[in-house]
Amino acid sequence: MNMSSLHPFGLAVFLPGLALVMGCTSTGGFPTGWGEITLAPGDTGTCLSTPCRVYFQIPPGEGKYLVTANEVKVGEFAAGQRVMLGSFFETNAIRLPGTQVPPTYLYVYGQGGPSGGIH
């Protein structure tokens, strides 16, 4: 959508609507980083480099949590720890399957935009 083509009243309706939609898709923060980023459950983060080293704050509790990125197992990690998930080359949805923990979204940009792979 070309924002400059919106009527001033249209923009007044569009921006609050966008905030409402964004509020529905994320319950956490919006961290941004270059080279590395630290995310927590519910965050929507943006990394401005490819690859991007991703750290994740495991929620408190007991035992271990299974962590996946785009439905691929990354590992099992102890509750309450800040862990390194790896270097990501693409946008990912990070989840803790079997829990009520909200998903975390990572957008990776660099060298012309989103690209493929996880290492």
Side-chain angles (χ1 to χ4, degrees):
M1 173 185 294
N2 183 351
M3 295 295 286
S4 64
S5 67
L6 283 176
H7 186 277
F9 294 113
L11 188 57
V13 171
F14 175 76
L15 291 178
L18 178 61
L20 180 62
V21 170
M22 290 300 292
C24 293
T25 60
S26 175
T27 57
F30 299 92
T32 300
W34 192 95
E36 68 179 47
I37 192 168
T38 297
L39 301 169
D43 283 353
T44 299
T46 302
C47 196
L48 303 172
S49 67
T50 304
C52 181
R53 180 173 294 147
V54 177
Y55 294 90
F56 187 72
Q57 182 62 50
I58 303 296
E62 295 182 16
K64 292 186 175 188
Y65 288 91
L66 170 65
V67 177
T68 65
N70 287 352
E71 300 183 14
V72 174
K73 180 180 177 179
V74 176
E76 291 186 30
F77 303 96
Q81 301 296 309
R82 178 180 177 258
V83 299
M84 206 265 286
L85 298 183
S87 293
F88 289 71
F89 288 79
E90 68 179 6
T91 296
N92 275 267
I94 299 167
R95 291 189 167 84
L96 282 65
T99 71
Q100 296 298 314
V101 174
T104 301
Y105 298 100
L106 168 67
Y107 295 92
V108 178
Y109 296 93
Q111 301 177 355
S115 59
I118 175 176
H119 294 243

